[in-house]
Amino acid sequence: TVASNTSAFGVLDHPLPRARVRWKEAFRGGLIVAIVWEIGRQLLTAFLIGDRYSVYGIVGALIAIQLWAYYAVTIILLGAEYVRVTCKY
């Protein structure tokens, strides 16, 4: 899944920054975002399957979804920032 996420984030990171970005740099940023994305996905899965989820019930699921949305947007924007900073144009 890291390869498919790298492709998706690489394509997303190409037009997202306000700069001309080469595809190589976009896919490099996509790889970094994909790795951090997978780490966050594994941590969220461990949190949801753990004992804390059953204690909080549906409220815990809503909190987890909000945390995931915040995490996802932050990671995508930081990836775009990385690509913008490292681009050579």
Side-chain angles (χ1 to χ4, degrees):
T1 60
V2 174
S4 61
N5 284 343
T6 299
S7 299
F9 291 128
V11 169
L12 183 67
D13 282 344
H14 189 276
L16 195 59
R18 289 187 175 191
R20 293 185 56 184
V21 177
R22 286 187 248 167
W23 283 105
K24 179 180 176 182
E25 294 163 343
F27 282 111
R28 187 181 311 137
L31 177 64
I32 291 171
V33 172
I35 290 170
V36 176
W37 182 276
E38 287 297 318
I39 292 169
R41 189 177 65 86
Q42 293 296 327
L43 289 173
L44 183 65
T45 302
F47 174 74
L48 288 178
I49 294 174
D51 294 335
R52 289 183 263 177
Y53 175 68
S54 61
V55 172
Y56 295 119
I58 192 69
V59 175
L62 292 174
I63 291 171
I65 290 170
Q66 288 177 339
L67 284 173
W68 178 253
Y70 175 76
Y71 178 79
V73 169
T74 302
I75 293 304
I76 290 170
L77 292 177
L78 285 176
E81 182 68 23
Y82 171 79
V83 171
R84 172 66 177 101
V85 167
T86 60
C87 71
K88 304 288 187 212
Y89 291 105

Coordinates of all heavy atoms in Angstrom, one line a residue:
T1 N 0.8 -1.2 0.0 CA 0.0 0.0 0.0 C 0.9 1.3 0.0 O 0.4 2.3 -0.4 CB -0.9 0.0 1.2 OG1 -0.2 0.0 2.4 CG2 -1.9 -1.1 1.2
V2 N 2.1 1.1 0.4 CA 3.0 2.3 0.4 C 3.2 2.8 -1.0 O 3.2 4.0 -1.3 CB 4.3 2.0 1.1 CG1 5.3 3.2 1.0 CG2 4.1 1.7 2.6
A3 N 3.3 1.8 -2.0 CA 3.6 2.2 -3.4 C 2.4 2.9 -4.0 O 2.5 4.0 -4.6 CB 3.9 1.0 -4.2
S4 N 1.2 2.4 -3.7 CA 0.0 3.1 -4.2 C -0.2 4.5 -3.5 O -0.6 5.5 -4.2 CB -1.2 2.3 -4.1 OG -1.5 2.0 -2.7
N5 N 0.1 4.6 -2.2 CA 0.0 5.8 -1.5 C 1.0 6.8 -2.0 O 0.8 8.0 -2.2 CB 0.1 5.7 0.0 CG -1.1 5.1 0.6 OD1 -2.2 5.1 0.0 ND2 -1.0 4.6 1.8
T6 N 2.2 6.3 -2.3 CA 3.3 7.2 -2.9 C 2.9 7.8 -4.2 O 3.0 9.0 -4.5 CB 4.6 6.4 -3.1 OG1 5.0 5.9 -1.8 CG2 5.7 7.3 -3.6
S7 N 2.3 6.9 -5.1 CA 1.8 7.4 -6.3 C 0.7 8.5 -6.2 O 0.7 9.5 -6.8 CB 1.2 6.3 -7.2 OG 2.2 5.4 -7.4
A8 N -0.3 8.2 -5.3 CA -1.4 9.1 -5.0 C -0.9 10.5 -4.5 O -1.3 11.5 -4.9 CB -2.4 8.5 -4.1
F9 N 0.0 10.4 -3.5 CA 0.5 11.6 -2.9 C 1.4 12.3 -3.8 O 1.5 13.6 -3.7 CB 1.1 11.3 -1.5 CG 0.1 10.9 -0.5 CD1 0.3 9.8 0.3 CD2 -1.0 11.7 -0.2 CE1 -0.6 9.4 1.2 CE2 -1.9 11.3 0.8 CZ -1.7 10.1 1.5
G10 N 2.2 11.6 -4.6 CA 3.1 12.3 -5.6 C 2.3 13.1 -6.6 O 2.6 14.2 -6.9
V11 N 1.2 12.5 -7.1 CA 0.3 13.2 -8.0 C -0.3 14.4 -7.3 O -0.5 15.5 -7.9 CB -0.7 12.2 -8.6 CG1 -1.8 13.0 -9.4 CG2 -0.1 11.2 -9.5
L12 N -0.7 14.2 -6.1 CA -1.3 15.4 -5.3 C -0.2 16.5 -5.0 O -0.6 17.6 -5.0 CB -1.9 14.8 -4.0 CG -2.6 15.8 -3.1 CD1 -3.9 16.3 -3.8 CD2 -2.9 15.2 -1.8
D13 N 1.0 16.1 -4.7 CA 2.0 17.0 -4.4 C 2.6 17.8 -5.6 O 3.3 18.8 -5.4 CB 3.2 16.4 -3.7 CG 2.9 16.1 -2.2 OD1 1.9 16.7 -1.7 OD2 3.6 15.3 -1.6
H14 N 2.3 17.3 -6.8 CA 2.8 18.1 -8.0 C 2.1 19.4 -8.2 O 2.8 20.4 -8.3 CB 2.6 17.2 -9.2 CG 3.3 17.8 -10.4 ND1 2.7 18.7 -11.2 CD2 4.6 17.6 -10.9 CE1 3.6 19.0 -12.2 NE2 4.7 18.4 -12.0
P15 N 0.8 19.5 -8.2 CA 0.1 20.8 -8.4 C -0.1 21.6 -7.1 O -0.4 22.8 -7.1 CB -1.2 20.5 -9.0 CG -1.5 19.2 -8.5 CD -0.2 18.5 -8.3
L16 N 0.0 20.9 -5.9 CA -0.4 21.6 -4.6 C 0.4 22.8 -4.2 O -0.1 23.8 -3.9 CB -0.5 20.5 -3.5 CG -1.2 20.9 -2.2 CD1 -2.6 21.3 -2.5 CD2 -1.1 19.8 -1.2
P17 N 1.8 22.7 -4.3 CA 2.6 23.9 -3.9 C 2.5 25.0 -5.0 O 2.3 24.7 -6.2 CB 4.0 23.3 -3.8 CG 3.9 21.9 -3.8 CD 2.6 21.5 -4.4
R18 N 2.6 26.2 -4.6 CA 2.6 27.3 -5.5 C 4.0 27.5 -6.1 O 4.6 28.5 -5.9 CB 2.2 28.6 -4.8 CG 0.7 28.6 -4.5 CD 0.4 29.9 -4.0 NE -1.1 30.0 -3.7 CZ -1.7 31.1 -3.4 NH1 -1.1 32.2 -3.4 NH2 -3.0 31.0 -3.2
A19 N 4.5 26.5 -6.8 CA 5.8 26.5 -7.5 C 5.8 25.5 -8.5 O 5.0 24.6 -8.5 CB 6.9 26.3 -6.5
R20 N 6.7 25.6 -9.5 CA 6.9 24.6 -10.5 C 7.7 23.5 -9.8 O 8.8 23.7 -9.3 CB 7.6 25.1 -11.7 CG 6.8 26.2 -12.4 CD 7.5 26.6 -13.7 NE 7.7 25.4 -14.5 CZ 8.4 25.4 -15.6 NH1 8.9 26.6 -16.1 NH2 8.6 24.4 -16.3
V21 N 7.1 22.3 -9.8 CA 7.7 21.1 -9.1 C 7.9 20.0 -10.2 O 7.0 19.7 -11.0 CB 6.7 20.6 -8.0 CG1 7.3 19.4 -7.4 CG2 6.5 21.7 -7.0
R22 N 9.1 19.5 -10.1 CA 9.4 18.3 -11.0 C 8.7 17.1 -10.4 O 8.5 17.0 -9.2 CB 10.9 18.1 -11.1 CG 11.5 19.1 -12.0 CD 13.0 18.8 -12.1 NE 13.8 19.8 -11.4 CZ 15.0 19.7 -11.1 NH1 15.7 18.6 -11.5 NH2 15.6 20.6 -10.5
W23 N 8.4 16.1 -11.3 CA 7.7 14.9 -10.8 C 8.6 14.1 -9.9 O 8.1 13.5 -8.9 CB 7.4 14.1 -12.0 CG 6.2 14.6 -12.8 CD1 6.1 15.2 -14.0 CD2 4.8 14.5 -12.3 NE1 4.9 15.6 -14.3 CE2 4.0 15.2 -13.3 CE3 4.2 14.0 -11.2 CZ2 2.6 15.3 -13.2 CZ3 2.8 14.1 -11.1 CH2 2.0 14.7 -12.1
K24 N 9.9 14.2 -10.1 CA 10.8 13.4 -9.2 C 10.7 14.0 -7.7 O 10.6 13.2 -6.8 CB 12.2 13.6 -9.7 CG 13.3 12.9 -8.8 CD 14.7 13.1 -9.4 CE 15.7 12.5 -8.5 NZ 17.0 12.7 -9.0
E25 N 10.6 15.3 -7.6 CA 10.5 15.9 -6.3 C 9.1 15.6 -5.7 O 9.0 15.4 -4.5 CB 10.8 17.4 -6.4 CG 12.2 17.7 -6.7 CD 12.4 19.1 -7.2 OE1 11.4 19.8 -7.6 OE2 13.5 19.6 -7.3
A26 N 8.1 15.6 -6.5 CA 6.8 15.4 -6.1 C 6.6 14.0 -5.5 O 6.0 13.7 -4.5 CB 5.7 15.6 -7.2
F27 N 7.2 13.0 -6.2 CA 7.2 11.6 -5.8 C 8.1 11.4 -4.6 O 7.8 10.5 -3.7 CB 7.5 10.6 -6.9 CG 6.3 10.5 -7.8 CD1 6.4 11.0 -9.1 CD2 5.2 9.8 -7.4 CE1 5.3 10.8 -10.0 CE2 4.1 9.7 -8.3 CZ 4.2 10.1 -9.6
R28 N 9.1 12.1 -4.4 CA 9.9 12.0 -3.2 C 9.1 12.5 -2.0 O 9.1 11.9 -0.9 CB 11.2 12.9 -3.3 CG 12.2 12.7 -2.2 CD 13.4 13.5 -2.3 NE 14.1 13.4 -3.6 CZ 14.5 14.4 -4.3 NH1 14.5 15.6 -3.7 NH2 15.1 14.2 -5.4
G29 N 8.4 13.6 -2.1 CA 7.6 14.1 -1.1 C 6.4 13.1 -0.9 O 6.0 12.9 0.3
G30 N 5.9 12.5 -1.9 CA 4.8 11.5 -1.8 C 5.3 10.3 -1.0 O 4.5 9.7 -0.3
L31 N 6.5 9.9 -1.2 CA 7.1 8.8 -0.5 C 7.1 9.1 1.0 O 6.7 8.2 1.9 CB 8.4 8.4 -1.0 CG 9.1 7.2 -0.2 CD1 8.4 5.9 -0.4 CD2 10.6 7.1 -0.7
I32 N 7.6 10.2 1.4 CA 7.7 10.6 2.8 C 6.3 10.7 3.4 O 6.0 10.2 4.5 CB 8.4 12.0 2.9 CG1 9.9 11.8 2.6 CG2 8.2 12.5 4.3 CD1 10.6 13.1 2.5
V33 N 5.3 11.3 2.7 CA 4.0 11.4 3.2 C 3.4 10.0 3.3 O 2.7 9.7 4.3 CB 3.1 12.2 2.3 CG1 1.6 12.2 2.7 CG2 3.6 13.7 2.3
A34 N 3.6 9.1 2.4 CA 3.1 7.7 2.4 C 3.6 6.9 3.6 O 2.8 6.2 4.2 CB 3.4 7.0 1.1
I35 N 4.9 7.1 3.9 CA 5.4 6.4 5.0 C 4.8 6.9 6.3 O 4.4 6.1 7.2 CB 7.0 6.5 5.0 CG1 7.6 5.7 3.9 CG2 7.6 6.1 6.4 CD1 9.0 6.0 3.6
V36 N 4.7 8.2 6.5 CA 4.2 8.8 7.7 C 2.7 8.4 7.8 O 2.1 8.2 8.9 CB 4.4 10.3 7.8 CG1 3.7 10.9 9.0 CG2 5.9 10.6 7.8
W37 N 2.0 8.4 6.6 CA 0.6 8.0 6.6 C 0.4 6.6 7.1 O -0.5 6.3 7.9 CB 0.1 8.1 5.1 CG -1.3 7.8 4.9 CD1 -1.9 6.6 4.7 CD2 -2.4 8.8 4.8 NE1 -3.2 6.7 4.5 CE2 -3.6 8.0 4.6 CE3 -2.4 10.2 4.9 CZ2 -4.8 8.7 4.4 CZ3 -3.7 10.8 4.7 CH2 -4.8 10.0 4.5
E38 N 1.2 5.7 6.7 CA 1.1 4.3 7.1 C 1.4 4.1 8.6 O 0.7 3.3 9.3 CB 2.1 3.4 6.3 CG 1.6 3.2 4.9 CD 0.3 2.4 4.8 OE1 0.1 1.4 5.6 OE2 -0.5 2.8 4.0
I39 N 2.4 4.9 9.1 CA 2.6 4.9 10.5 C 1.4 5.3 11.3 O 1.0 4.7 12.3 CB 3.9 5.7 10.9 CG1 5.1 5.0 10.3 CG2 4.0 5.9 12.4 CD1 6.4 5.9 10.4
G40 N 0.8 6.4 10.9 CA -0.4 6.9 11.5 C -1.5 6.0 11.4 O -2.3 5.8 12.4
R41 N -1.7 5.3 10.3 CA -2.7 4.3 10.1 C -2.6 3.2 11.1 O -3.6 2.7 11.7 CB -2.8 3.8 8.7 CG -4.0 3.0 8.3 CD -4.0 2.6 6.9 NE -2.9 1.8 6.5 CZ -2.9 0.4 6.6 NH1 -3.9 -0.2 7.1 NH2 -1.8 -0.3 6.3
Q42 N -1.3 2.7 11.2 CA -1.1 1.6 12.1 C -1.4 2.0 13.6 O -1.9 1.2 14.4 CB 0.3 1.1 12.0 CG 0.6 0.5 10.7 CD -0.1 -0.8 10.4 OE1 -0.5 -1.5 11.4 NE2 -0.5 -1.0 9.2
L43 N -1.0 3.2 14.0 CA -1.3 3.7 15.3 C -2.7 3.8 15.6 O -3.2 3.5 16.7 CB -0.5 5.0 15.6 CG 1.0 5.0 15.7 CD1 1.6 6.4 15.8 CD2 1.4 4.1 16.9
L44 N -3.5 4.3 14.6 CA -4.9 4.5 14.8 C -5.6 3.1 14.9 O -6.5 2.9 15.7 CB -5.5 5.3 13.6 CG -7.0 5.6 13.8 CD1 -7.3 6.5 15.0 CD2 -7.5 6.2 12.5
T45 N -5.1 2.2 14.1 CA -5.7 0.8 14.1 C -5.4 0.2 15.5 O -6.3 -0.4 16.1 CB -5.1 -0.1 13.0 OG1 -5.3 0.5 11.8 CG2 -5.7 -1.5 13.1
A46 N -4.2 0.4 16.0 CA -3.9 -0.1 17.4 C -4.8 0.5 18.4 O -5.2 -0.1 19.4 CB -2.4 0.1 17.7
F47 N -5.1 1.8 18.3 CA -5.9 2.5 19.2 C -7.3 2.0 19.2 O -8.0 1.8 20.2 CB -5.8 4.0 18.9 CG -6.8 4.8 19.8 CD1 -6.5 5.1 21.1 CD2 -8.0 5.4 19.2 CE1 -7.4 5.8 21.9 CE2 -8.8 6.1 20.0 CZ -8.5 6.3 21.3
L48 N -7.9 1.8 18.0 CA -9.3 1.4 17.8 C -9.5 0.0 18.3 O -10.5 -0.4 18.8 CB -9.7 1.6 16.4 CG -10.0 3.0 15.9 CD1 -10.4 3.0 14.5 CD2 -11.0 3.7 16.8
I49 N -8.5 -0.9 18.1 CA -8.6 -2.3 18.5 C -8.3 -2.5 20.0 O -8.8 -3.4 20.6 CB -7.7 -3.2 17.6 CG1 -8.2 -3.1 16.2 CG2 -7.7 -4.6 18.1 CD1 -7.4 -3.8 15.2
G50 N -7.6 -1.5 20.6 CA -7.2 -1.6 22.0 C -8.4 -1.5 22.9 O -9.5 -1.4 22.5
D51 N -8.1 -1.6 24.2 CA -9.1 -1.6 25.2 C -9.8 -0.3 25.4 O -11.0 -0.2 25.8 CB -8.5 -2.0 26.6 CG -8.0 -3.5 26.5 OD1 -8.6 -4.3 25.7 OD2 -7.1 -3.8 27.3
R52 N -9.1 0.8 25.1 CA -9.7 2.1 25.2 C -10.9 2.3 24.4 O -11.9 3.0 24.7 CB -8.7 3.2 25.0 CG -7.6 3.3 26.0 CD -6.7 4.4 25.8 NE -5.6 3.8 25.1 CZ -4.5 4.4 24.6 NH1 -4.5 5.7 24.7 NH2 -3.5 3.8 24.0
Y53 N -11.0 1.7 23.2 CA -12.1 1.9 22.3 C -13.4 1.4 22.9 O -14.4 2.0 22.8 CB -11.8 1.3 20.9 CG -13.0 1.4 20.0 CD1 -13.4 2.6 19.5 CD2 -13.7 0.2 19.6 CE1 -14.4 2.7 18.6 CE2 -14.7 0.3 18.8 CZ -15.1 1.5 18.2 OH -16.2 1.6 17.4
S54 N -13.3 0.2 23.5 CA -14.5 -0.4 24.1 C -15.0 0.4 25.3 O -16.2 0.4 25.5 CB -14.3 -1.8 24.4 OG -13.2 -1.9 25.4
V55 N -14.2 1.1 26.0 CA -14.6 1.9 27.1 C -15.4 3.1 26.6 O -16.4 3.5 27.2 CB -13.4 2.3 28.0 CG1 -13.8 3.3 29.0 CG2 -12.7 1.1 28.5
Y56 N -14.9 3.8 25.6 CA -15.5 5.0 25.2 C -16.7 4.8 24.2 O -17.5 5.7 23.9 CB -14.5 6.0 24.5 CG -13.5 6.5 25.5 CD1 -12.1 6.2 25.3 CD2 -13.8 7.2 26.6 CE1 -11.2 6.6 26.2 CE2 -12.9 7.7 27.5 CZ -11.6 7.4 27.3 OH -10.6 7.8 28.2
G57 N -16.7 3.6 23.6 CA -17.8 3.3 22.7 C -17.8 4.2 21.4 O -16.8 4.5 20.8
I58 N -19.0 4.7 21.1 CA -19.1 5.4 19.8 C -18.4 6.8 19.9 O -18.0 7.3 18.9 CB -20.6 5.6 19.5 CG1 -20.8 6.1 18.0 CG2 -21.3 6.5 20.4 CD1 -20.4 5.2 17.0
V59 N -18.4 7.4 21.1 CA -17.7 8.6 21.3 C -16.2 8.5 21.0 O -15.6 9.3 20.4 CB -17.9 9.2 22.7 CG1 -17.1 10.5 22.9 CG2 -19.4 9.4 23.0
G60 N -15.6 7.4 21.4 CA -14.2 7.1 21.1 C -14.0 7.0 19.6 O -13.0 7.4 19.0
A61 N -15.0 6.4 18.9 CA -14.8 6.3 17.4 C -14.9 7.7 16.8 O -14.1 7.9 15.8 CB -16.0 5.4 16.9
L62 N -15.8 8.5 17.2 CA -15.9 9.9 16.7 C -14.6 10.7 17.0 O -14.1 11.4 16.1 CB -17.1 10.6 17.3 CG -18.4 10.1 16.8 CD1 -19.6 10.8 17.6 CD2 -18.6 10.2 15.3
I63 N -14.1 10.5 18.2 CA -12.8 11.2 18.5 C -11.7 10.7 17.6 O -10.8 11.4 17.1 CB -12.4 11.0 20.0 CG1 -13.4 11.8 20.8 CG2 -11.0 11.5 20.3 CD1 -13.3 11.5 22.3
A64 N -11.6 9.4 17.4 CA -10.6 8.8 16.5 C -10.7 9.3 15.1 O -9.7 9.6 14.4 CB -10.7 7.3 16.6
I65 N -12.0 9.4 14.6 CA -12.2 9.9 13.2 C -11.7 11.4 13.1 O -11.1 11.8 12.1 CB -13.6 9.8 12.8 CG1 -14.0 8.3 12.6 CG2 -13.9 10.5 11.5 CD1 -15.4 8.0 12.4
Q66 N -12.0 12.2 14.1 CA -11.6 13.6 14.1 C -10.0 13.6 14.2 O -9.4 14.5 13.5 CB -12.2 14.3 15.3 CG -13.6 14.6 15.1 CD -14.2 15.3 16.3 OE1 -13.7 15.3 17.4 NE2 -15.4 16.0 16.1
L67 N -9.4 12.8 15.0 CA -8.0 12.8 15.1 C -7.4 12.4 13.7 O -6.4 12.9 13.3 CB -7.5 11.9 16.2 CG -7.6 12.4 17.6 CD1 -7.3 11.3 18.6 CD2 -6.7 13.6 17.8
W68 N -8.0 11.4 13.1 CA -7.4 10.9 11.8 C -7.6 12.0 10.7 O -6.7 12.2 9.9 CB -8.1 9.7 11.3 CG -7.6 9.3 10.0 CD1 -8.3 9.3 8.8 CD2 -6.3 8.7 9.7 NE1 -7.5 8.9 7.8 CE2 -6.3 8.5 8.3 CE3 -5.2 8.4 10.5 CZ2 -5.2 8.0 7.7 CZ3 -4.1 7.9 9.8 CH2 -4.1 7.7 8.5
A69 N -8.7 12.7 10.7 CA -8.9 13.8 9.7 C -7.8 14.9 10.0 O -7.2 15.4 9.0 CB -10.3 14.4 9.8
Y70 N -7.6 15.3 11.2 CA -6.6 16.3 11.5 C -5.2 15.8 11.1 O -4.4 16.6 10.5 CB -6.6 16.6 13.0 CG -5.6 17.6 13.5 CD1 -5.7 18.9 13.2 CD2 -4.4 17.1 14.1 CE1 -4.7 19.8 13.6 CE2 -3.5 18.0 14.5 CZ -3.6 19.3 14.3 OH -2.6 20.2 14.7
Y71 N -4.9 14.6 11.4 CA -3.6 14.0 11.1 C -3.4 14.0 9.6 O -2.3 14.3 9.1 CB -3.5 12.6 11.7 CG -2.2 11.9 11.4 CD1 -1.1 12.2 12.1 CD2 -2.2 10.9 10.5 CE1 0.1 11.5 11.9 CE2 -1.0 10.2 10.2 CZ 0.1 10.5 10.9 OH 1.3 9.8 10.6
A72 N -4.4 13.5 8.9 CA -4.3 13.4 7.4 C -4.1 14.7 6.7 O -3.2 14.8 5.9 CB -5.6 12.7 6.9
V73 N -4.8 15.7 7.1 CA -4.7 17.0 6.5 C -3.3 17.6 6.8 O -2.6 18.2 6.0 CB -5.8 18.0 6.9 CG1 -5.5 19.4 6.5 CG2 -7.1 17.5 6.3
T74 N -2.9 17.4 8.1 CA -1.6 18.0 8.5 C -0.4 17.3 7.7 O 0.5 18.0 7.2 CB -1.3 17.7 10.0 OG1 -2.4 18.4 10.7 CG2 0.0 18.3 10.4
I75 N -0.5 16.0 7.5 CA 0.5 15.2 6.8 C 0.6 15.6 5.3 O 1.6 15.8 4.7 CB 0.3 13.7 7.0 CG1 0.6 13.3 8.4 CG2 1.2 12.9 6.1 CD1 1.9 13.7 9.0
I76 N -0.6 15.8 4.7 CA -0.7 16.2 3.3 C -0.1 17.6 3.1 O 0.7 17.8 2.2 CB -2.1 16.1 2.8 CG1 -2.5 14.6 2.7 CG2 -2.2 16.7 1.4 CD1 -4.0 14.4 2.4
L77 N -0.4 18.5 4.0 CA 0.1 19.8 3.8 C 1.6 19.9 4.1 O 2.3 20.7 3.5 CB -0.7 20.8 4.7 CG -2.1 21.0 4.2 CD1 -2.9 22.0 5.2 CD2 -2.2 21.6 2.8
L78 N 2.1 19.2 5.1 CA 3.5 19.1 5.4 C 4.3 18.5 4.2 O 5.4 18.9 3.9 CB 3.8 18.4 6.7 CG 3.5 19.2 8.0 CD1 3.7 18.3 9.2 CD2 4.3 20.4 8.1
G79 N 3.7 17.5 3.6 CA 4.3 16.9 2.4 C 4.4 18.0 1.3 O 5.5 18.1 0.6
A80 N 3.4 18.7 1.1 CA 3.4 19.8 0.0 C 4.5 20.9 0.4 O 5.2 21.4 -0.5 CB 2.0 20.4 -0.1
E81 N 4.6 21.2 1.7 CA 5.6 22.1 2.1 C 7.0 21.6 1.9 O 7.9 22.3 1.5 CB 5.4 22.5 3.6 CG 6.3 23.5 4.2 CD 6.1 24.9 3.6 OE1 5.0 25.2 3.1 OE2 7.0 25.7 3.6
Y82 N 7.2 20.3 2.2 CA 8.5 19.7 1.9 C 8.9 19.8 0.4 O 10.0 20.1 0.1 CB 8.5 18.3 2.4 CG 9.7 17.5 2.0 CD1 10.9 17.6 2.7 CD2 9.7 16.6 0.9 CE1 12.0 16.9 2.3 CE2 10.8 16.0 0.5 CZ 12.0 16.1 1.2 OH 13.1 15.4 0.8
V83 N 7.9 19.5 -0.4 CA 8.1 19.5 -1.9 C 8.5 21.0 -2.3 O 9.4 21.2 -3.1 CB 6.9 19.0 -2.6 CG1 7.1 19.2 -4.1 CG2 6.8 17.5 -2.4
R84 N 7.7 21.9 -1.7 CA 7.9 23.3 -2.1 C 9.3 23.8 -1.7 O 10.0 24.5 -2.4 CB 6.9 24.2 -1.4 CG 7.1 25.7 -1.5 CD 7.0 26.1 -3.0 NE 7.1 27.6 -3.1 CZ 8.3 28.2 -3.5 NH1 9.3 27.5 -3.8 NH2 8.3 29.5 -3.6
V85 N 9.8 23.4 -0.5 CA 11.1 23.8 0.0 C 12.2 23.2 -0.8 O 13.2 23.8 -1.0 CB 11.2 23.5 1.5 CG1 12.6 23.6 2.0 CG2 10.3 24.4 2.3
T86 N 12.0 21.9 -1.2 CA 13.1 21.2 -1.9 C 13.1 21.4 -3.4 O 14.0 20.9 -4.0 CB 13.1 19.7 -1.5 OG1 11.8 19.2 -2.0 CG2 13.3 19.5 -0.1
C87 N 12.1 22.0 -4.0 CA 12.1 22.1 -5.4 C 13.2 23.1 -5.9 O 13.6 24.0 -5.2 CB 10.8 22.6 -5.9 SG 10.3 24.3 -5.6
K88 N 13.7 22.8 -7.0 CA 14.9 23.5 -7.5 C 14.6 24.7 -8.4 O 15.5 25.4 -8.9 CB 15.8 22.5 -8.4 CG 16.2 21.3 -7.6 CD 17.2 21.6 -6.6 CE 17.7 20.3 -6.0 NZ 18.1 20.4 -4.6
Y89 N 13.3 24.9 -8.8 CA 13.0 26.0 -9.7 C 13.0 27.4 -9.0 O 12.7 27.6 -7.9 CB 11.6 25.8 -10.3 CG 11.5 24.6 -11.2 CD1 11.0 23.4 -10.9 CD2 12.1 24.7 -12.5 CE1 10.9 22.4 -11.7 CE2 12.0 23.7 -13.4 CZ 11.4 22.5 -13.0 OH 11.4 21.5 -13.8

